[in-house]
Amino acid sequence: MDLNSLRSPLAFLQSRLPEIPHRDILKSEEAWWKNEGVAISDAIDRAGTPWLRMFDRLGKRVDEILYPLEYQTILKRGYRAGVVWRALEEKSLIPTYLLMYAISYYDPGICCPYTVSLGTAVPLAKYGSAELQARFLPQLLRKDDSLWQGATWMTEIKGGSDLGAAVETIARPAGDRWLLTGEKYFTSNAGAELAVVAARPEGIAPGVRGLTLFLVPRYREDGALNYFVRRLKDKIATRSVPTGEVELKESEGYLLGSAESGIYLILEVLNLSRVANSVVSVAVAQRAMADALSYAQQRAAFGKPILNHPLLRHQFETRLNALRSAFALAWESVQLLNDVWMERAPYSDRYHLFRLVAHLAKYWTAEFAVDTAKWAMEVHGGLGVLAEYGVERWQREAMILAIWEGTSHRQILDGLEVMERKRAHELLFRRLAEIAPSKELQEMESEVEQHLKLPTEERETLAELLFRRLAIFTAETLARKSK
Amino acid sequence: MDLNSLRSPLAFLQSRLPEIPHRDILKSEEAWWKNEGVAISDAIDRAGTPWLRMFDRLGKRVDEILYPLEYQTILKRGYRAGVVWRALEEKSLIPTYLLMYAISYYDPGICCPYTVSLGTAVPLAKYGSAELQARFLPQLLRKDDSLWQGATWMTEIKGGSDLGAAVETIARPAGDRWLLTGEKYFTSNAGAELAVVAARPEGIAPGVRGLTLFLVPRYREDGALNYFVRRLKDKIATRSVPTGEVELKESEGYLLGSAESGIYLILEVLNLSRVANSVVSVAVAQRAMADALSYAQQRAAFGKPILNHPLLRHQFETRLNALRSAFALAWESVQLLNDVWMERAPYSDRYHLFRLVAHLAKYWTAEFAVDTAKWAMEVHGGLGVLAEYGVERWQREAMILAIWEGTSHRQILDGLEVMERKRAHELLFRRLAEIAPSKELQEMESEVEQHLKLPTEERETLAELLFRRLAIFTAETLARKSK
Amino acid sequence: MDLNSLRSPLAFLQSRLPEIPHRDILKSEEAWWKNEGVAISDAIDRAGTPWLRMFDRLGKRVDEILYPLEYQTILKRGYRAGVVWRALEEKSLIPTYLLMYAISYYDPGICCPYTVSLGTAVPLAKYGSAELQARFLPQLLRKDDSLWQGATWMTEIKGGSDLGAAVETIARPAGDRWLLTGEKYFTSNAGAELAVVAARPEGIAPGVRGLTLFLVPRYREDGALNYFVRRLKDKIATRSVPTGEVELKESEGYLLGSAESGIYLILEVLNLSRVANSVVSVAVAQRAMADALSYAQQRAAFGKPILNHPLLRHQFETRLNALRSAFALAWESVQLLNDVWMERAPYSDRYHLFRLVAHLAKYWTAEFAVDTAKWAMEVHGGLGVLAEYGVERWQREAMILAIWEGTSHRQILDGLEVMERKRAHELLFRRLAEIAPSKELQEMESEVEQHLKLPTEERETLAELLFRRLAIFTAETLARKSK
Amino acid sequence: MDLNSLRSPLAFLQSRLPEIPHRDILKSEEAWWKNEGVAISDAIDRAGTPWLRMFDRLGKRVDEILYPLEYQTILKRGYRAGVVWRALEEKSLIPTYLLMYAISYYDPGICCPYTVSLGTAVPLAKYGSAELQARFLPQLLRKDDSLWQGATWMTEIKGGSDLGAAVETIARPAGDRWLLTGEKYFTSNAGAELAVVAARPEGIAPGVRGLTLFLVPRYREDGALNYFVRRLKDKIATRSVPTGEVELKESEGYLLGSAESGIYLILEVLNLSRVANSVVSVAVAQRAMADALSYAQQRAAFGKPILNHPLLRHQFETRLNALRSAFALAWESVQLLNDVWMERAPYSDRYHLFRLVAHLAKYWTAEFAVDTAKWAMEVHGGLGVLAEYGVERWQREAMILAIWEGTSHRQILDGLEVMERKRAHELLFRRLAEIAPSKELQEMESEVEQHLKLPTEERETLAELLFRRLAIFTAETLARKSK
């Protein structure tokens, strides 16, 4: 089995996909990362985490986020290459997720700002009034370094799963805009020029139906700060990205869609980031394997490179297969999303199929990334736990991927729901029928059907094992096709 | 199922073991840790890693290891409680490993110095000349804070698995002592007053048979430094413990045992630390679960504590069962070691049985600890990846446990060898026969036998799955008994 | 000249003062610091700065300040020894400032919490209603570790000099208490159980006359947080002390004195801390000299210890004289304050004399400390700029002393004012007449009188040189007496 | 008085010098620094200090110095602009020191590598054999980023002042080269491709006359490491520059000049760096003043910007005069060095005049920089001691300048010697005669002559005051001319 495709994200993509749009761009990005980006990313992970200058010397609140300049170098590169603007200009998410795969092999954290910027541009393009679009969209799609970044701020201090209960930010109408007051507790890309923010219009009934999405710029029309960064968080990974807490104090906001449809908009934003999370997870796993490979080829024990020891070689080979399966699952979610990302509620069957696949992919790719990162550390022996050699970083990065955009619990339960309520598994099995051996497929179908007949509580209690098996089955089946 | 035993290491031990020697001591240690130790340990993990002052102001080489004083408070406590001296005074390892379990629930790193101090005292007591014992043993067994610490330094820069090839440190005889010259690359407890060091007497043939164990004090007889700490390493965990690199430059050493028997002594030292690693792994897993439990009971979503959601509750329950199994396996290795630790080569069958169980336990408990720590982070949601709340620490600690004292590869291959060459699996199955359902036992036996008949390379290639199944089978069987 | 008195704060005090109350306590404190405290203080300066946990795991705002436990060990020691309670129980500030001298030789930062705790207890004892005293004073004067700490928060973001303009915190009456809303920008000892806070009762005219002093507990009567710590600051020194920013949001406060008298109370609090600043400055200078001395005695160049080189020896001797002068000036401010600290407006002449001496002392001792710390670094040569050897710390600590409680500009201008308006220089010259040679005294008097006749702007323009000369003249004259 | 020249190094240079060679280059460098360099330099000072990777993953000693890539950006810029190559190509040091002034206004640390690279190229060009020059000089003078850096390593652990006693590194002849063995304790620019190293040929008598200078490349001819970096130091400033300790182990070295003349070569290297130190000191002082100015103009108290308060304005004005004087003194040392840098022993009178002026300039400019940095912190009030606002950095940088290249003690004593032995003061007074008022000049001359007649010990004891007065007198006199 050829392990060499592990060494380059583009080589791996080429081994998996029949065609790669904008292949030349991926190639030049990869070359740049090898020569310069890797050293920058290492240095930032080690000591370059951003910090917050809350006041200037004169006591004016400025909430300036200070980064190493090099972070800007990395960051702006991806934007210029089109990680956001291509999606809207080319009306396809494929170039975006290809770029994310290639970039996150070198720096997974950087895809967080890209994802939330995309998650700002898309609902604006889809649901914003013509006036709002004219006012804000061009900045998000600029092709030079004057571009604006986006951000998607939903979670409050009571948690991110049960948004209906947790979102307490209130929006009051004020002429052509709204004034938002509340606190957001996990705000990725704090300091972004434009954010989409979940809030609750004053007087609307509690619960998930009252959620509404607003566009909130960093600065008010009069030039003053429109939101306040209370602090940045000390995360174990994605250390270049400023994740913080934001205070909204009568902050100017602009309605996206209508007040009643907010939850749909929020979930559509989440679609974009869950798929991104899956793509990045696979890239992190590939990177960890590549580091392990280069080490195992050079490090000798008992008279030969450790790669040539049968147990370790076997692990490399089975894990490469698993990587291919994980990629096939993630990429299926990309392709399905690319079909449905412009849909609005009520949604098509294809949208429900996408949702199921996206849950399976988010869940399984992250599990695989964490496990692979652990294994890569072990391949390095004692060096694996030293900060000096950087391999431990992939485990930290993978753990963030396992938790953000919903932990495994969330994916399992939401995946279960879309099977119960939309029969999405039937759509999935239909999709897999052309590839999977029929006996295996029937067994899997029957297992799912049995499970769905269980009493409610038991159905949830035992859901993990079923979901895991379904994810692996789907991944392996899809991988079979792509070969 | 009663999850409350998770909250206290003593409570858990009591639920698993028929009797606990020195229960009062464990109880008072636990009380101290709750009140004071936890805060100290947190602070040290965050910012209190030791550093090396190589020269004093006047340019004299001193290699002073600087710690927060609080680390000394923690450290000395365990020594006073008897983590080392009881083993030799009471001629039993049980009190030692009970103390290690209780302490490492609060600070797993601290058990590293305890283990290597034990690993210094035991070979000295077992193989040191009467004169050597009189000269050095009392200091290691002191019951007050003037006690000396030990250290066990084998690994050199070429690696820790293939010691026969990697150890290049040379020892030259010089009257009643030897002079050692070489470099040790992973020296836990750098700065210890006394170390056992693997070296190769000058002129002896290469390979594992030439390895010899020496006792090397920190200071020469004339008061000068006897070894040099080149630097301390930046590890992801056990951050209170100074792990470094040591240079031996004609360092005074004293022979332990005889030159030909060195590899046996080294492996006997490793026995002590592998068993410690297993015990500590289980304690770390318990601690991570306890943190997850306290959070899940208090954190609400969808109108109730998340612990009451069926999927999460089910995970707690199955994981508690797995914790009990892992403990049963670890404790079996403790008890077997307690039977054989004074044996010398040639060894008894019981010793070989111990070796197999120790490999199974080292392997499986570490796997379990890593997985449990990951899960505990997920239970905390977004908080799980913040340095602020400390739960991410258990994953770092667990990863060190998975790698130190031999990664899974090492355990699997060495376990395979003791089955092939000593038929240790037969001893194991005899041991389990009284507990395991006979059908399951037969299947397991047959699977092992089949595997051992495979051609050499295939036997190694496919060993992981077999070893994993055997570990779980053994653990679950033993747990059955202890209930 | 005997340089040995430099080595111990008590030895130096004994060489300067005819009697030392509670000498035994100072002696035992000094012994403890030598044996344990120094190592703790070094470790905290290096890596033990406190941090803020704003929310607990469940999202409840807690504003917990996390320190190394060792900091508590140091901190509580001084309180138990009586740095606060003795002042009120023994009705004398002498024991307090003696303790501060002895302690700040080892850790100058720790005297910051002591000073602000004193600055809380004194106005409460002096101006608090009987009910308020009964409710809060005992906690501040406890002799065990359950004691409460105080804090004195005046400065807001617009600055600390022009309080009349800068204080924008508003107090609204609410029954038996007031509700305070505003932000404090430099809050030493953030997290204190009780603070005195400058605010402006709603509706009162702007300017310094509207300032009012309130007592603000950490927790409201209902147990909720009463003030909020927005963040801690990253200072170059006093790194163990949490200095932060505090938000008051309808915080419960209790009036001290009357609304019209606030500025007097504030200045009386400042008296306590300016004198403390002077005492600590001299101690820091002594410490830096002691470190330089021990180095210079041991380090050799050109065949002899560098201390024996004439230029360096001469510097030690002249600097020891200057240290004695600086101490004499600082101690004069202590003794004068001890006479007047219970006065209320309108004040006696002695109070005005105190004010002038306190400005001279604050100014000159800090200048001397900074210069001495720089010189001590130079004595260490290249080692002086390494973090490894700690001597650079004294410069950082001294710089804080030069800036806190008013920079030199403030001392000079306020000193000028008390001469212009209260003729305080005449009182000073009367005091010095018995010691100073009459010719020198007359010249100094004449110089001051000439200066005070200058046009206003020129008087201020040229004030620095005059003030410097007057400080040195006063210090040297007082030192003459104390020999 | 026009304070605006403080805001730009080029503006200040233009106000002081009749003509500026390569003015356009200085202008474009300044523009780049304002736009990009300042942010890079701040980030590196805060968190970008280099670190040492001693071994690669495979255990090969590599001694790789890891920096933020941005540091390379800054560093290479100055080399390309000609800070080294112009000196040798244009046969003038003026462009070099102008560039250093302009650059060190923004980042004083970066001039350390420039200075030591110059200090490598110059002795090679002056004393290296034709073969040695052909082999190594072109690399040091490259105009692109492939350039080699130099380093000048003299100091050993016994100290930097008394090199005759402290240098214990031994050189043994080995064919066309020498093998050096020893340890260097303060090695600026550790990791440089080429270093000049002081050593003592084996068998040569002790003392300063046996010192010899060698050229030592980073890699041996066979490609192996030729010297070893034991560790990097944790300095308070110049934090971007790797200063470390170097071990020479039979390192290949090439003789510069002859064995007997080593001390002359060493002192000639020191000439270059002392003058650099003076130039950089003035630039740091200007920068600190510029930061204070921008703050004082914007910060208000008592109803107006604090700059408009008479005392502060007066301080700005007198300090600007002092800055001009300090610059005049530093620049005199530049011009004199430019006349004599190609001289060899025995030296001309002009060389001795240079030496006296260089000692005065090194001493006085550093004193001024430290004092000015302190004052700038005070102007910022409480903000001055916060890491957040960066002004405290200039004090750290200035302290390094006061200590490196010889502390004030060294300058004073060496200055005294050149007056005693070479009557350099007479040359100085002759130089100043055309500018200074004759009465002041006569008084100064007489004071010096009196001093030189004192008994030896007293002459040294009292030298500081004399030297200080002479430095200020010289500086102010020279400044008079330049207006």
Side-chain angles (χ1 to χ4, degrees), chain C residues 441-455:
Chain C
L441 187 63
Q442 278 164 23
E443 283 170 11
M444 191 74 244
E445 281 185 271
S446 146
E447 193 177 332
V448 171
E449 287 298 348
Q450 296 291 329
H451 190 93
L452 293 177
K453 285 175 193 150
L454 293 173

PDB file of all heavy atoms in Angstrom, chain C residues 441-455:
ATOM      1  N   LEU C 441      21.752  75.944  56.600  1.00  0.00           N
ATOM      2  CA  LEU C 441      20.319  76.089  56.798  1.00  0.00           C
ATOM      3  C   LEU C 441      19.835  77.427  56.226  1.00  0.00           C
ATOM      4  O   LEU C 441      18.821  77.493  55.527  1.00  0.00           O
ATOM      5  CB  LEU C 441      20.003  75.996  58.298  1.00  0.00           C
ATOM      6  CG  LEU C 441      18.526  75.972  58.687  1.00  0.00           C
ATOM      7  CD1 LEU C 441      17.837  74.741  58.112  1.00  0.00           C
ATOM      8  CD2 LEU C 441      18.374  75.999  60.204  1.00  0.00           C
ATOM      9  N   GLN C 442      20.596  78.466  56.517  1.00  0.00           N
ATOM     10  CA  GLN C 442      20.194  79.783  56.011  1.00  0.00           C
ATOM     11  C   GLN C 442      20.178  79.811  54.482  1.00  0.00           C
ATOM     12  O   GLN C 442      19.269  80.374  53.866  1.00  0.00           O
ATOM     13  CB  GLN C 442      21.160  80.852  56.516  1.00  0.00           C
ATOM     14  CG  GLN C 442      20.832  81.314  57.927  1.00  0.00           C
ATOM     15  CD  GLN C 442      21.995  82.069  58.552  1.00  0.00           C
ATOM     16  OE1 GLN C 442      22.843  82.612  57.853  1.00  0.00           O
ATOM     17  NE2 GLN C 442      22.037  82.088  59.879  1.00  0.00           N
ATOM     18  N   GLU C 443      21.168  79.211  53.882  1.00  0.00           N
ATOM     19  CA  GLU C 443      21.191  79.180  52.419  1.00  0.00           C
ATOM     20  C   GLU C 443      19.970  78.458  51.861  1.00  0.00           C
ATOM     21  O   GLU C 443      19.355  78.894  50.892  1.00  0.00           O
ATOM     22  CB  GLU C 443      22.460  78.487  51.912  1.00  0.00           C
ATOM     23  CG  GLU C 443      23.692  79.369  51.989  1.00  0.00           C
ATOM     24  CD  GLU C 443      24.977  78.600  51.717  1.00  0.00           C
ATOM     25  OE1 GLU C 443      24.866  77.430  51.272  1.00  0.00           O
ATOM     26  OE2 GLU C 443      26.064  79.125  51.965  1.00  0.00           O
ATOM     27  N   MET C 444      19.652  77.362  52.504  1.00  0.00           N
ATOM     28  CA  MET C 444      18.503  76.578  52.037  1.00  0.00           C
ATOM     29  C   MET C 444      17.217  77.385  52.210  1.00  0.00           C
ATOM     30  O   MET C 444      16.373  77.427  51.307  1.00  0.00           O
ATOM     31  CB  MET C 444      18.459  75.268  52.840  1.00  0.00           C
ATOM     32  CG  MET C 444      17.487  74.235  52.299  1.00  0.00           C
ATOM     33  SD  MET C 444      18.049  73.393  50.768  1.00  0.00           S
ATOM     34  CE  MET C 444      16.798  73.940  49.602  1.00  0.00           C
ATOM     35  N   GLU C 445      17.086  78.004  53.381  1.00  0.00           N
ATOM     36  CA  GLU C 445      15.898  78.823  53.644  1.00  0.00           C
ATOM     37  C   GLU C 445      15.764  79.925  52.599  1.00  0.00           C
ATOM     38  O   GLU C 445      14.690  80.156  52.053  1.00  0.00           O
ATOM     39  CB  GLU C 445      16.012  79.477  55.025  1.00  0.00           C
ATOM     40  CG  GLU C 445      15.670  78.557  56.181  1.00  0.00           C
ATOM     41  CD  GLU C 445      15.674  79.314  57.525  1.00  0.00           C
ATOM     42  OE1 GLU C 445      16.763  79.375  58.130  1.00  0.00           O
ATOM     43  OE2 GLU C 445      14.624  79.816  57.912  1.00  0.00           O
ATOM     44  N   SER C 446      16.864  80.555  52.353  1.00  0.00           N
ATOM     45  CA  SER C 446      16.831  81.675  51.419  1.00  0.00           C
ATOM     46  C   SER C 446      16.464  81.178  50.015  1.00  0.00           C
ATOM     47  O   SER C 446      15.681  81.805  49.301  1.00  0.00           O
ATOM     48  CB  SER C 446      18.198  82.355  51.450  1.00  0.00           C
ATOM     49  OG  SER C 446      18.530  82.861  50.201  1.00  0.00           O
ATOM     50  N   GLU C 447      16.995  80.037  49.639  1.00  0.00           N
ATOM     51  CA  GLU C 447      16.689  79.505  48.316  1.00  0.00           C
ATOM     52  C   GLU C 447      15.196  79.220  48.173  1.00  0.00           C
ATOM     53  O   GLU C 447      14.578  79.512  47.146  1.00  0.00           O
ATOM     54  CB  GLU C 447      17.513  78.224  48.107  1.00  0.00           C
ATOM     55  CG  GLU C 447      17.531  77.742  46.672  1.00  0.00           C
ATOM     56  CD  GLU C 447      18.424  76.517  46.500  1.00  0.00           C
ATOM     57  OE1 GLU C 447      19.394  76.353  47.289  1.00  0.00           O
ATOM     58  OE2 GLU C 447      18.121  75.699  45.615  1.00  0.00           O
ATOM     59  N   VAL C 448      14.633  78.652  49.228  1.00  0.00           N
ATOM     60  CA  VAL C 448      13.198  78.357  49.182  1.00  0.00           C
ATOM     61  C   VAL C 448      12.399  79.653  49.110  1.00  0.00           C
ATOM     62  O   VAL C 448      11.478  79.794  48.287  1.00  0.00           O
ATOM     63  CB  VAL C 448      12.772  77.515  50.397  1.00  0.00           C
ATOM     64  CG1 VAL C 448      11.255  77.401  50.463  1.00  0.00           C
ATOM     65  CG2 VAL C 448      13.422  76.131  50.365  1.00  0.00           C
ATOM     66  N   GLU C 449      12.749  80.585  49.929  1.00  0.00           N
ATOM     67  CA  GLU C 449      11.994  81.843  49.939  1.00  0.00           C
ATOM     68  C   GLU C 449      12.068  82.542  48.574  1.00  0.00           C
ATOM     69  O   GLU C 449      11.068  83.050  48.076  1.00  0.00           O
ATOM     70  CB  GLU C 449      12.518  82.775  51.039  1.00  0.00           C
ATOM     71  CG  GLU C 449      12.146  82.337  52.455  1.00  0.00           C
ATOM     72  CD  GLU C 449      10.624  82.313  52.698  1.00  0.00           C
ATOM     73  OE1 GLU C 449       9.851  82.839  51.877  1.00  0.00           O
ATOM     74  OE2 GLU C 449      10.203  81.729  53.723  1.00  0.00           O
ATOM     75  N   GLN C 450      13.257  82.564  48.009  1.00  0.00           N
ATOM     76  CA  GLN C 450      13.412  83.153  46.664  1.00  0.00           C
ATOM     77  C   GLN C 450      12.473  82.483  45.679  1.00  0.00           C
ATOM     78  O   GLN C 450      11.789  83.131  44.888  1.00  0.00           O
ATOM     79  CB  GLN C 450      14.856  82.935  46.140  1.00  0.00           C
ATOM     80  CG  GLN C 450      15.941  83.621  46.928  1.00  0.00           C
ATOM     81  CD  GLN C 450      15.886  85.124  46.767  1.00  0.00           C
ATOM     82  OE1 GLN C 450      15.474  85.614  45.719  1.00  0.00           O
ATOM     83  NE2 GLN C 450      16.242  85.864  47.804  1.00  0.00           N
ATOM     84  N   HIS C 451      12.465  81.184  45.786  1.00  0.00           N
ATOM     85  CA  HIS C 451      11.673  80.423  44.819  1.00  0.00           C
ATOM     86  C   HIS C 451      10.187  80.749  44.952  1.00  0.00           C
ATOM     87  O   HIS C 451       9.484  80.914  43.958  1.00  0.00           O
ATOM     88  CB  HIS C 451      11.911  78.929  45.015  1.00  0.00           C
ATOM     89  CG  HIS C 451      11.322  78.110  43.912  1.00  0.00           C
ATOM     90  ND1 HIS C 451      12.043  77.729  42.815  1.00  0.00           N
ATOM     91  CD2 HIS C 451      10.058  77.636  43.707  1.00  0.00           C
ATOM     92  CE1 HIS C 451      11.263  77.060  41.998  1.00  0.00           C
ATOM     93  NE2 HIS C 451      10.049  76.987  42.526  1.00  0.00           N
ATOM     94  N   LEU C 452       9.756  80.848  46.183  1.00  0.00           N
ATOM     95  CA  LEU C 452       8.320  81.067  46.398  1.00  0.00           C
ATOM     96  C   LEU C 452       7.893  82.462  45.925  1.00  0.00           C
ATOM     97  O   LEU C 452       6.697  82.715  45.757  1.00  0.00           O
ATOM     98  CB  LEU C 452       7.967  80.863  47.871  1.00  0.00           C
ATOM     99  CG  LEU C 452       8.121  79.424  48.367  1.00  0.00           C
ATOM    100  CD1 LEU C 452       7.812  79.328  49.858  1.00  0.00           C
ATOM    101  CD2 LEU C 452       7.212  78.469  47.589  1.00  0.00           C
ATOM    102  N   LYS C 453       8.862  83.320  45.714  1.00  0.00           N
ATOM    103  CA  LYS C 453       8.512  84.654  45.222  1.00  0.00           C
ATOM    104  C   LYS C 453       8.442  84.723  43.701  1.00  0.00           C
ATOM    105  O   LYS C 453       8.040  85.745  43.141  1.00  0.00           O
ATOM    106  CB  LYS C 453       9.552  85.667  45.718  1.00  0.00           C
ATOM    107  CG  LYS C 453       9.386  86.003  47.197  1.00  0.00           C
ATOM    108  CD  LYS C 453      10.509  86.912  47.688  1.00  0.00           C
ATOM    109  CE  LYS C 453      10.505  86.968  49.214  1.00  0.00           C
ATOM    110  NZ  LYS C 453      11.869  87.186  49.740  1.00  0.00           N
ATOM    111  N   LEU C 454       8.829  83.692  43.046  1.00  0.00           N
ATOM    112  CA  LEU C 454       8.788  83.679  41.577  1.00  0.00           C
ATOM    113  C   LEU C 454       7.345  83.784  41.081  1.00  0.00           C
ATOM    114  O   LEU C 454       6.413  83.402  41.799  1.00  0.00           O
ATOM    115  CB  LEU C 454       9.396  82.388  41.033  1.00  0.00           C
ATOM    116  CG  LEU C 454      10.901  82.182  41.236  1.00  0.00           C
ATOM    117  CD1 LEU C 454      11.293  80.774  40.781  1.00  0.00           C
ATOM    118  CD2 LEU C 454      11.691  83.223  40.448  1.00  0.00           C
ATOM    119  N   PRO C 455       7.162  84.281  39.867  1.00  0.00           N
ATOM    120  CA  PRO C 455       5.810  84.244  39.279  1.00  0.00           C
ATOM    121  C   PRO C 455       5.309  82.793  39.203  1.00  0.00           C
ATOM    122  O   PRO C 455       6.125  81.859  39.065  1.00  0.00           O
ATOM    123  CB  PRO C 455       6.011  84.806  37.869  1.00  0.00           C
ATOM    124  CG  PRO C 455       7.361  85.453  37.875  1.00  0.00           C
ATOM    125  CD  PRO C 455       8.154  84.861  38.981  1.00  0.00           C
TER     126      PRO C 455
END
